[in-house]
Amino acid sequence: MDILFCTSEAYPLIKTGGLADVSGSLPAALAQLGHDVRLALPAYPAAVERAGTLHEVSRLRLNGSDSPVRLLRGSLPGGRTPVYLIDAPAFFNRPGNPYLQPDGRDWPDNAARFALFSRACAALGLGVGDRDWRAQVLHCNDWQTGLVPALLSRQSPRPATLFSIHNLAYQGLFPASTFQALNLPDALWSIDGLEFHNQLSFIKGGIANADHVTTVSPTYAREIREESFGYGLEGLLRHRSEQLSGILNGVDLEHWNPATDPLIARRYDMHNLQHKLFNKYTLQRDHALPVSSQPFLLGYIGRLVAQKGVDLLLDIIDQLARQPIQLVVLGSGERRLEQQVLAAATRHPRQVAVSIGYDERLAHRIEAGSDALLMPSRYEPCGLNQMYSQLYGTVPIARRTGGLCDTIVDYNQTTLDSRTATGLCFDDDSAQALLATCLGALRLYREHRVDWWKLVIAGMQQDFSWTQSAARYSALYQSLVRGETPRIGSAPASRPTKPAFDDSRHAGQPIH
Ligand code: ADP
Ligand code: GLC
């Protein structure tokens, strides 16, 4: 089958988080099943630089851009997955983070940028961009591509559309006037279209209009139907229950495998775990921490934002520092949180080390060198680090939410006896719960080493490959193309007199 995978980031072209990991690895897993999967991505400078030799496929005249938009074709490094880059320099020729200005604020024209990207993807989907190739399915991801299913819903014939939610909290919300400025079809301004409490919602375009909606774990697929996780979209998501499912993310084992990882100090597997200790020493040395096997080394890698529960960690750092514990943090995000973790490192220079910024190599080294990895997330659509950590023999300490529930087997006597336990989980969204779990892990690590090793080994034996999940996507694409799932809006939308769902209770909640 021919699939266009529309995404705003893909490793190793450009990455801010897990979406890039998924976009960089799922297409290859689908290709192994015989599909022709191609990525569509904005032509950011980093992507242009890394996508190999580029050929101009066509020039598109698109609403929103005064000059023609060039469609370039390259591939992911290694040449496996073809990539279409949407080249509109006024919109995408900006170095650095794809969504943020150097001062950390959103680019003011993000609506125009991702509307143009979505229009280019829709054009490609209709066979306008590349005369030699036409997708049967457009697989769209997150709000940046939310307009694609909405734009295509008004076309007939059209390819099937799948919209994957990687993070419901980021919705692409803009003032109503932006809808006018973007020159979008009037019919899309409705409660069944793009309107959300008199604002323009990009993500709603995907959720309301795609033929099917997935999210990246089965638990998160259930959670987002509830008010506490739905950010006001739970009504719509419940309304679409029949076409909403969760497919767990997989791991790219070419990049995340301690036995072959070129970025770590010494490679290892479960048969020579003493080499993992060498990685711990290296991590300690590189961070000017005392080099010793004794302290319990905790790692944290991730965006420093409320989602990840960093504030819970900040609340307990001083208490952790009274224990034989070391902590290595890598992340960037909210300035206030960055400053607070840096201050903790200044208070505890022999125990806490912090790197602010994005560093792929260090992320691998923390996975390899830590004894345990902290993920106290408030919500977690899937989460990848807890899977990487298990494969690296690093035990996750995580809050029981979203994909963390689906990928970690919590330690208790039963799971220990059956050698299935792979991590330690807690329920409460509280610093005390995190502290208690960390102290429990410390006890296990220091006083019950045999049990600790059982967790380590069980984690390293997990199958987090894409095999099963890619097969699920494949089956889903096939059912969409066969029309087994009814197409939404395959004819021009008629305006319902009554909204099909009610999201009226949720005006004004804070969303990113
Ligand atoms: P999210 O997508 O919500 O940020 P995930 O756990 O799904 O969380 O994926 C995060 C990905 O980004 C992982 O590959 C992780 O290693 C990586 N990552 C996050 N922050 C950093 C950082 N500061 N430096 C390097 N890699 C990072
Ligand atoms: C999002 C989520 C994360 C998920 C990733 C990839 O950024 O926050 O939980 O793993 O997308 O799907």
Coordinates of all heavy atoms in Angstrom, one line a residue, residues 9 11 15-22 166-167 170 216 249 256 300-305 307-308 330-332 355-364 367 375 379-386 388 404, ligand 1:
E9 N 8.3 16.5 12.5 CA 9.7 16.2 12.9 C 10.0 14.7 12.7 O 9.1 13.8 12.8 CB 10.0 16.6 14.3 CG 9.1 16.1 15.4 CD 9.5 16.6 16.8 OE1 10.4 16.0 17.4 OE2 8.9 17.6 17.3
Y11 N 13.4 11.9 13.3 CA 14.8 11.6 13.5 C 15.5 10.9 12.4 O 14.8 10.0 11.8 CB 15.0 10.7 14.8 CG 16.4 10.5 15.2 CD1 17.1 11.4 15.9 CD2 17.0 9.3 14.8 CE1 18.4 11.2 16.2 CE2 18.3 9.1 15.2 CZ 19.0 10.0 15.9 OH 20.3 9.8 16.2
K15 N 14.6 16.8 15.5 CA 13.9 16.2 16.6 C 13.8 17.1 17.8 O 14.7 17.8 18.2 CB 14.8 14.9 17.0 CG 14.4 14.3 18.4 CD 15.0 13.0 18.6 CE 14.9 12.5 20.0 NZ 15.4 11.1 20.2
T16 N 12.6 17.1 18.4 CA 12.4 17.8 19.7 C 11.9 16.8 20.7 O 12.0 17.0 21.9 CB 11.4 19.0 19.7 OG1 10.1 18.4 19.5 CG2 11.7 19.9 18.5
G17 N 11.4 15.7 20.3 CA 10.9 14.7 21.2 C 10.5 13.4 20.6 O 11.0 13.1 19.4
G18 N 9.6 12.6 21.2 CA 9.3 11.3 20.8 C 8.7 11.2 19.4 O 8.8 10.2 18.7
L19 N 7.9 12.2 19.0 CA 7.3 12.2 17.7 C 8.4 11.9 16.6 O 8.2 11.2 15.6 CB 6.6 13.5 17.4 CG 6.1 13.7 16.0 CD1 5.1 12.6 15.6 CD2 5.4 15.1 15.8
A20 N 9.6 12.6 16.8 CA 10.6 12.4 15.8 C 11.1 10.9 15.8 O 11.4 10.4 14.7 CB 11.8 13.3 16.1
D21 N 11.2 10.3 17.0 CA 11.7 8.9 17.0 C 10.7 8.0 16.3 O 11.1 7.1 15.5 CB 11.8 8.4 18.5 CG 12.9 9.1 19.2 OD1 13.5 10.1 18.7 OD2 13.2 8.7 20.4
V22 N 9.4 8.3 16.5 CA 8.3 7.5 15.8 C 8.4 7.7 14.3 O 8.4 6.7 13.5 CB 7.0 7.8 16.4 CG1 5.8 7.1 15.6 CG2 6.9 7.4 17.9
H166 N -0.2 12.3 19.4 CA 1.0 12.0 20.2 C 0.9 12.8 21.5 O 1.6 12.4 22.5 CB 2.3 12.3 19.5 CG 2.5 11.4 18.3 ND1 3.3 10.3 18.3 CD2 1.9 11.5 17.1 CE1 3.2 9.8 17.1 NE2 2.4 10.5 16.3
N167 N 0.2 13.9 21.5 CA 0.1 14.7 22.8 C -1.1 15.6 22.6 O -1.1 16.6 21.9 CB 1.4 15.5 23.0 CG 1.4 16.0 24.4 OD1 0.4 16.2 25.0 ND2 2.7 16.2 24.9
Y170 N -1.1 19.7 23.3 CA -0.6 20.7 22.3 C -1.6 20.6 21.2 O -1.7 19.7 20.4 CB 0.8 20.3 21.8 CG 1.8 20.4 22.9 CD1 2.0 19.3 23.8 CD2 2.6 21.5 23.1 CE1 3.0 19.4 24.8 CE2 3.5 21.6 24.1 CZ 3.7 20.5 25.0 OH 4.6 20.6 26.0
V216 N -1.0 6.9 21.0 CA 0.2 6.1 21.0 C 0.3 5.0 22.1 O 1.3 4.5 22.3 CB 1.4 7.0 20.9 CG1 1.6 7.5 19.5 CG2 1.3 8.1 21.9
N249 N 3.6 2.7 20.7 CA 4.9 3.0 20.0 C 5.9 1.8 20.2 O 5.9 1.1 21.2 CB 5.6 4.2 20.5 CG 4.8 5.5 20.1 OD1 4.2 5.5 19.0 ND2 5.0 6.6 20.8
W256 N 18.7 2.2 19.4 CA 18.6 2.0 20.9 C 18.8 0.5 21.3 O 17.8 -0.2 21.6 CB 17.2 2.5 21.4 CG 17.0 4.0 21.3 CD1 16.4 4.7 20.3 CD2 17.5 5.0 22.2 NE1 16.5 6.0 20.5 CE2 17.2 6.3 21.6 CE3 18.3 5.0 23.3 CZ2 17.5 7.5 22.2 CZ3 18.6 6.2 24.0 CH2 18.2 7.4 23.4
Y300 N 17.5 11.3 34.5 CA 16.3 11.9 34.0 C 16.6 12.5 32.7 O 17.6 13.3 32.5 CB 15.8 13.0 35.0 CG 14.6 13.8 34.4 CD1 13.3 13.4 34.7 CD2 14.8 14.8 33.5 CE1 12.2 14.0 34.1 CE2 13.7 15.5 32.9 CZ 12.5 15.1 33.2 OH 11.4 15.7 32.5
I301 N 15.8 12.2 31.7 CA 16.0 12.8 30.3 C 14.7 13.3 29.8 O 13.7 12.5 29.8 CB 16.5 11.7 29.3 CG1 17.8 11.0 29.8 CG2 16.8 12.3 27.9 CD1 18.0 9.7 29.1
G302 N 14.6 14.5 29.5 CA 13.3 14.9 28.9 C 13.1 16.4 28.9 O 13.9 17.2 29.4
R303 N 12.0 16.7 28.3 CA 11.6 18.1 28.3 C 11.3 18.6 29.7 O 10.6 17.8 30.4 CB 10.3 18.3 27.4 CG 10.7 18.0 25.9 CD 9.4 18.1 25.0 NE 8.4 17.1 25.2 CZ 7.2 17.4 25.6 NH1 6.8 18.6 25.9 NH2 6.3 16.4 25.8
L304 N 11.7 19.8 30.1 CA 11.5 20.3 31.4 C 10.2 21.1 31.4 O 10.2 22.3 31.2 CB 12.7 21.1 31.9 CG 14.0 20.4 32.0 CD1 15.2 21.3 32.3 CD2 14.0 19.2 33.0
V305 N 9.1 20.3 31.5 CA 7.8 20.9 31.4 C 6.9 20.2 32.4 O 7.2 19.1 32.9 CB 7.1 20.8 30.0 CG1 7.9 21.6 29.0 CG2 7.1 19.3 29.6
Q307 N 4.2 18.5 32.2 CA 3.8 17.2 31.8 C 4.7 16.1 32.4 O 4.2 15.1 32.9 CB 3.8 17.0 30.3 CG 3.6 15.6 29.8 CD 3.9 15.3 28.3 OE1 4.2 16.2 27.6 NE2 4.0 14.1 28.0
K308 N 6.0 16.4 32.5 CA 6.9 15.4 32.9 C 7.1 15.3 34.4 O 7.9 14.5 34.8 CB 8.3 15.6 32.2 CG 8.2 15.7 30.6 CD 7.9 14.3 30.1 CE 7.7 14.3 28.5 NZ 7.4 13.0 28.0
L330 N 19.3 15.6 32.1 CA 19.4 16.2 30.8 C 18.1 16.7 30.3 O 17.1 15.9 30.2 CB 20.0 15.2 29.8 CG 19.9 15.6 28.3 CD1 20.8 16.8 28.0 CD2 20.4 14.4 27.4
G331 N 18.0 17.9 30.0 CA 16.7 18.4 29.5 C 16.8 19.9 29.2 O 17.7 20.6 29.5
S332 N 15.7 20.3 28.6 CA 15.5 21.8 28.4 C 14.0 22.0 28.3 O 13.2 21.1 28.1 CB 16.2 22.2 27.1 OG 15.6 21.6 26.0
S355 N 22.6 18.9 32.8 CA 23.0 19.5 31.5 C 21.7 20.0 30.9 O 20.7 19.3 30.6 CB 23.5 18.4 30.5 OG 24.6 17.8 31.1
I356 N 21.7 21.3 30.6 CA 20.6 22.0 29.9 C 20.9 22.0 28.4 O 21.9 22.4 28.0 CB 20.4 23.4 30.5 CG1 20.0 23.4 32.0 CG2 19.2 24.1 29.7 CD1 18.8 22.7 32.4
G357 N 19.9 21.5 27.7 CA 20.1 21.5 26.2 C 19.6 20.2 25.6 O 19.0 19.4 26.3
Y358 N 19.9 20.1 24.4 CA 19.5 18.8 23.7 C 20.8 18.1 23.3 O 21.6 18.7 22.6 CB 18.7 19.2 22.5 CG 18.3 17.9 21.7 CD1 17.1 17.2 22.1 CD2 19.0 17.4 20.7 CE1 16.8 16.0 21.5 CE2 18.7 16.2 20.1 CZ 17.6 15.5 20.5 OH 17.3 14.3 20.0
D359 N 21.0 16.9 23.7 CA 22.2 16.2 23.4 C 21.9 14.7 23.3 O 21.8 13.9 24.2 CB 23.2 16.4 24.6 CG 24.6 15.8 24.4 OD1 24.7 14.9 23.6 OD2 25.5 16.3 25.1
E360 N 21.8 14.3 22.0 CA 21.5 12.9 21.7 C 22.5 11.9 22.3 O 22.1 10.9 22.9 CB 21.4 12.7 20.2 CG 20.9 11.5 19.6 CD 19.4 11.3 19.8 OE1 18.6 12.3 19.8 OE2 18.9 10.2 19.8
R361 N 23.7 12.2 22.2 CA 24.8 11.3 22.7 C 24.6 11.1 24.2 O 24.7 10.0 24.8 CB 26.1 11.8 22.3 CG 27.3 11.0 22.8 CD 28.6 11.6 22.2 NE 29.8 11.0 22.7 CZ 30.5 11.5 23.7 NH1 30.1 12.6 24.3 NH2 31.6 10.9 24.1
L362 N 24.5 12.2 24.9 CA 24.3 12.2 26.4 C 23.1 11.4 26.8 O 23.1 10.7 27.8 CB 24.4 13.6 27.0 CG 24.3 13.7 28.5 CD1 25.3 12.8 29.2 CD2 24.4 15.1 28.9
A363 N 22.0 11.5 26.0 CA 20.8 10.8 26.3 C 21.1 9.3 26.3 O 20.7 8.6 27.2 CB 19.7 11.1 25.3
H364 N 21.8 8.8 25.3 CA 22.2 7.4 25.3 C 23.1 7.0 26.4 O 22.9 6.0 27.0 CB 22.9 7.1 23.9 CG 22.0 7.1 22.8 ND1 21.8 5.9 22.0 CD2 21.2 8.0 22.2 CE1 20.9 6.2 21.0 NE2 20.6 7.4 21.1
E367 N 21.0 6.7 29.6 CA 20.3 5.4 29.6 C 21.3 4.3 30.0 O 20.9 3.4 30.7 CB 19.7 5.1 28.2 CG 18.6 6.1 27.8 CD 17.3 5.8 28.5 OE1 17.2 5.1 29.5 OE2 16.3 6.4 28.1
M375 N 10.7 8.8 35.6 CA 9.6 9.4 34.7 C 8.4 9.7 35.5 O 7.4 8.9 35.4 CB 9.3 8.4 33.6 CG 10.4 8.4 32.5 SD 10.0 7.6 31.0 CE 8.9 8.7 30.2
Y379 N 1.0 13.1 32.8 CA 0.4 12.3 31.8 C 1.5 11.9 30.8 O 2.5 12.6 30.7 CB -0.8 13.0 31.1 CG -0.4 14.1 30.3 CD1 -0.1 14.0 28.9 CD2 -0.2 15.4 30.8 CE1 0.3 15.0 28.1 CE2 0.2 16.5 30.0 CZ 0.4 16.3 28.6 OH 0.9 17.3 27.9
E380 N 1.3 10.8 30.1 CA 2.3 10.3 29.2 C 1.6 9.5 28.1 O 1.3 8.3 28.3 CB 3.3 9.5 29.9 CG 4.6 9.3 29.2 CD 5.3 10.6 28.9 OE1 6.0 11.2 29.7 OE2 5.2 11.1 27.7
P381 N 1.4 10.1 26.9 CA 0.7 9.4 25.9 C 1.3 8.0 25.6 O 0.6 7.0 25.5 CB 0.8 10.4 24.7 CG 0.9 11.7 25.3 CD 1.6 11.5 26.6
C382 N 2.6 8.0 25.4 CA 3.3 6.7 25.4 C 4.5 6.8 26.3 O 4.6 6.1 27.3 CB 3.7 6.3 24.0 SG 4.5 4.7 24.0
G383 N 5.5 7.6 25.8 CA 6.8 7.7 26.5 C 7.7 6.7 25.9 O 7.3 5.5 25.6
L384 N 8.9 7.1 25.5 CA 9.9 6.2 24.9 C 11.0 5.9 25.9 O 11.5 4.8 25.9 CB 10.4 6.8 23.6 CG 9.3 7.0 22.6 CD1 9.9 7.9 21.4 CD2 8.8 5.7 22.0
N385 N 11.4 6.9 26.7 CA 12.6 6.7 27.5 C 12.4 5.5 28.5 O 13.4 4.8 28.7 CB 12.8 7.9 28.3 CG 13.5 9.0 27.5 OD1 14.4 8.7 26.7 ND2 13.1 10.2 27.6
Q386 N 11.2 5.2 28.9 CA 11.1 4.1 29.9 C 11.3 2.7 29.1 O 11.7 1.7 29.7 CB 9.7 4.1 30.6 CG 8.5 3.6 29.8 CD 8.1 4.5 28.7 OE1 8.6 5.6 28.5 NE2 7.0 4.2 28.0
Y388 N 13.4 2.5 26.3 CA 14.9 2.5 26.1 C 15.6 2.1 27.4 O 16.5 1.2 27.4 CB 15.4 3.9 25.8 CG 14.8 4.6 24.5 CD1 14.7 5.9 24.3 CD2 14.2 3.8 23.5 CE1 14.2 6.5 23.2 CE2 13.6 4.4 22.4 CZ 13.6 5.7 22.3 OH 13.1 6.3 21.1
L404 N 3.0 4.6 30.1 CA 3.9 4.0 31.2 C 3.2 2.8 31.8 O 3.9 1.8 32.1 CB 4.1 5.0 32.3 CG 4.9 6.3 31.7 CD1 5.0 7.4 32.8 CD2 6.3 6.0 31.2
Ligands
ADP1 P1 8.2 13.4 24.6 O1 8.0 13.1 23.2 O2 6.9 13.7 25.3 O3 9.2 14.5 24.8 P2 9.2 10.7 24.8 O4 9.6 9.9 26.0 O5 8.2 10.0 23.9 O6 8.7 12.1 25.3 O7 10.4 10.9 23.9 C1 11.4 11.8 24.2 C2 12.6 11.6 23.2 O8 13.4 12.8 23.2 C3 13.5 10.5 23.6 O9 14.1 9.9 22.5 C4 14.5 11.2 24.5 O10 15.7 10.5 24.6 C5 14.6 12.5 23.7 N1 15.0 13.6 24.5 C6 14.2 14.4 25.3 N2 14.9 15.4 25.8 C7 16.2 15.3 25.3 C8 17.4 16.1 25.5 N3 17.4 17.2 26.3 N4 18.5 15.7 24.8 C9 18.5 14.6 24.1 N5 17.4 13.8 23.9 C10 16.3 14.2 24.5

